Amino acid sequence: MPRALGELEDAVMTRVWQWNRPVTVREVLEDLQQERSIAYTTVMTVMDNLHQKGWVRREVDGRAYRYTAVSTRAAYSAALMNEAWSRSDNPAAALVAFFGMMSAEQREALQDAVRIVAPALPGAPEAEPGDKTEPEGKAASGGEPGTEGDFPAGEAPPDSGR
């Protein structure tokens, strides 16, 4: 199970996720330096740590590495929620408390998600023709961040226990 990223790791990963392309330490450094004073070696160490944890993969490009995210931010968020929920001694109560904290928009997103995954759950009734099982304009398989399409075929989410 992935563990939460530290503040600087999150800042680095935010850029990797936003840019959605292979990035160098220098590119991330220059962007981070717009917000704070930070050394090249610090960013290099953070990116190496992210590689060791399995959050990014890297390829040699000349004398530098180019780093690419292994999964989406949505998959990372889902892993954090799952980790927190699995640590509860009363998962049902934890979910009720969590749902109680949600905004109306978040509850609507949850309802959309349940409509998407419900037909795939064991024991779910067969969908009747014309039943609406997914939100308008959204594909039920692989089209949304945080779905099974977040990881290359045969790969599981990164394991930070390395």
Side-chain angles (χ1 to χ4, degrees):
M1 179 68 54
R3 67 176 180 186
L5 298 175
E7 183 181 335
L8 185 54
E9 287 176 324
D10 185 62
V12 169
M13 282 305 301
T14 293
R15 282 144 180 89
V16 175
W17 283 317
Q18 286 176 340
W19 295 339
N20 197 28
R21 62 174 172 75
V23 299
T24 64
V25 170
R26 175 78 49 205
E27 290 172 310
V28 174
L29 170 72
E30 289 172 359
D31 199 60
L32 286 170
Q33 284 179 331
Q34 294 177 24
E35 300 171 5
R36 63 180 100 180
S37 177
I38 190 166
Y40 179 91
T41 53
T42 301
V43 177
M44 183 176 62
T45 299
V46 167
M47 293 186 83
D48 184 60
N49 289 343
L50 290 167
H51 176 256
Q52 295 301 318
K53 291 178 181 181
W55 283 109
V56 294
R57 68 175 56 96
R58 66 184 179 195
E59 295 178 11
V60 175
D61 183 14
R63 295 178 48 181
Y65 284 114
R66 289 205 172 267
Y67 294 84
T68 308
V70 170
S71 68
T72 65
R73 182 165 208 119
Y76 172 71
S77 296
L80 288 181
M81 288 186 285
N82 187 55
E83 179 180 5
W85 185 47
S86 69
R87 290 183 179 178
S88 173
D89 60 348
N90 187 341
L95 282 176
V96 169
F98 179 65
F99 296 156
M101 295 177 195
M102 290 179 150
S103 67
E105 283 181 347
Q106 291 169 322
R107 284 191 300 274
E108 187 176 326
L110 175 64
Q111 289 170 337
D112 289 345
V114 169
R115 280 194 293 273
I116 290 168
V117 299
L121 296 174
E126 294 281 328
E128 295 293 325
D131 279 358
K132 186 173 180 179
T133 58
E134 59 191 51
E136 286 296 318
K138 294 183 181 177
S141 61
E144 288 293 309
T147 62
E148 61 198 38
D150 289 334
F151 300 100
E155 285 191 28
D159 176 17
S160 64
R162 287 186 228 170

